[in-house]
Amino acid sequence: DWMVLITWSIDIPLNFLTAYHTKKGLLVTNHREIARNYMQGWFLVDVIVVGADWATATAVALGTAASATRIGKVFRITRILRTLRLLRVMKLRQILFAVQERIDWEYLSIIFALIQNVMLLLAVNHVVACIWFWIGSGPGHWVEDKGVDGIPVFEQYMISLHWSLTQFTPAGIPLSPKRIGERVFNVILIVVAMIGFSTFVSSITAAMTRMRGLQQSSISKSFVLRKFLND
């Protein structure tokens, strides 16, 4: 957590020194224009999110000296503000798009797109697993029913992630909802997963078809070249 916090803290001043492209494709390197663009864009979000992270870290570090009530208030406020960290996904998407634009080899571009799809699927399942465990925590819920509440955190996470992956794939796991809230979440997830996994499979199929087409084209050109040299 400290490494992530320090990394995002350093990212703020670095954004004042990072050039950007306009909508017309022009590269802006003027420091004043860069600062103005950042101040009008992501600066406020970054400050709020990083500030919330620092407030949480400080409350934890000074927990022995501060009162429990004050720490509880800080956690409630920062928990709301830290949800803004999801907006960083939009920045990451822009970075990945810029990286993909710089790839000149089509074969490598297809592989990069495949990796993006797999990482997106894992990220979605990570969020679903966390929500599933949060919903299932409590008396009479699946966490207590399966005896998961007394095992290490990593095992709890892997069980939740395993369940989440089974909702997106034909695989199965002997874990079912125990309360109405869990079942409602499961039903909604199954409907969303049908659409999401179908899209994921179709994109993988399209990418593999493109890769096979490139290989076939390369083989055909090599055959024509060998025939020309032999003649």
Side-chain angles (χ1 to χ4, degrees):
D1 290 342
W2 282 104
M3 290 299 298
V4 174
L5 179 56
I6 293 173
T7 300
W8 285 107
S9 299
I10 296 175
D11 180 68
I12 293 178
L14 288 179
N15 277 295
F16 285 98
L17 304 174
T18 304
Y20 69 96
H21 286 88
T22 63
K23 294 181 179 180
K24 296 181 179 180
L26 300 176
L27 179 64
V28 179
T29 57
N30 183 273
H31 291 298
R32 181 174 296 179
E33 294 297 327
I34 293 173
R36 180 182 302 172
N37 179 73
Y38 181 51
M39 292 288 289
Q40 293 176 351
W42 288 96
F43 176 74
L44 182 60
V45 174
D46 288 344
V47 169
I48 293 176
V49 172
V50 174
D53 288 344
W54 274 110
T56 304
T58 303
V60 172
L62 302 178
T64 55
S67 63
T69 303
R70 184 174 302 176
I71 293 177
K73 291 181 179 179
V74 171
F75 276 140
R76 282 194 294 271
I77 296 174
T78 55
R79 192 179 295 117
I80 297 173
L81 295 178
R82 290 177 71 181
T83 56
L84 293 174
R85 289 189 298 181
L86 295 174
L87 294 175
R88 289 174 179 165
V89 177
M90 298 174 61
K91 292 182 70 175
L92 180 61
R93 184 180 179 183
Q94 294 175 358
I95 294 172
L96 293 176
F97 183 74
V99 172
Q100 192 168 10
E101 280 188 330
R102 294 178 179 273
I103 299 177
D104 297 327
W105 189 21
E106 187 176 2
Y107 194 86
L108 184 59
S109 177
I110 296 173
I111 295 177
F112 185 78
L114 286 173
I115 295 174
Q116 276 187 271
N117 289 331
V118 173
M119 295 302 295
L120 177 61
L121 180 65
L122 291 176
V124 171
N125 277 274
H126 166 75
V127 175
V128 171
C130 294
I131 297 175
W132 173 245
F133 186 83
W134 175 71
I135 292 177
S137 299
H141 291 266
W142 74 265
V143 174
E144 183 183 51
D145 181 72
K146 294 295 182 180
V148 179
D149 49 347
I151 64 177
V153 175
F154 179 73
E155 293 186 29
Q156 293 176 342
Y157 173 72
M158 292 307 298
I159 292 174
S160 299
L161 183 62
H162 185 186
W163 178 88
S164 175
L165 288 170
T166 59
Q167 308 308 303
F168 287 82
T169 60
I173 181 175
L175 198 163
S176 58
K178 298 300 178 182
R179 293 294 186 90
I180 183 62
E182 298 172 3
R183 193 166 299 278
V184 170
F185 176 74
N186 196 1
V187 170
I188 295 174
L189 180 61
I190 290 174
V191 175
V192 174
M194 285 192 299
I195 301 173
F197 188 69
S198 300
T199 304
F200 175 77
V201 172
S202 62
S203 64
I204 296 294
T205 304
M208 297 302 295
T209 303
R210 285 177 57 194
M211 292 176 65
R212 193 174 294 110
L214 290 175
Q215 292 176 349
Q216 187 64 37
S217 176
S218 177
I219 294 173
S220 300
K221 290 179 181 179
S222 299
F223 175 77
V224 172
L225 179 61
R226 285 197 304 270
K227 185 177 180 181
F228 173 78
L229 294 176
N230 290 332
D231 293 340

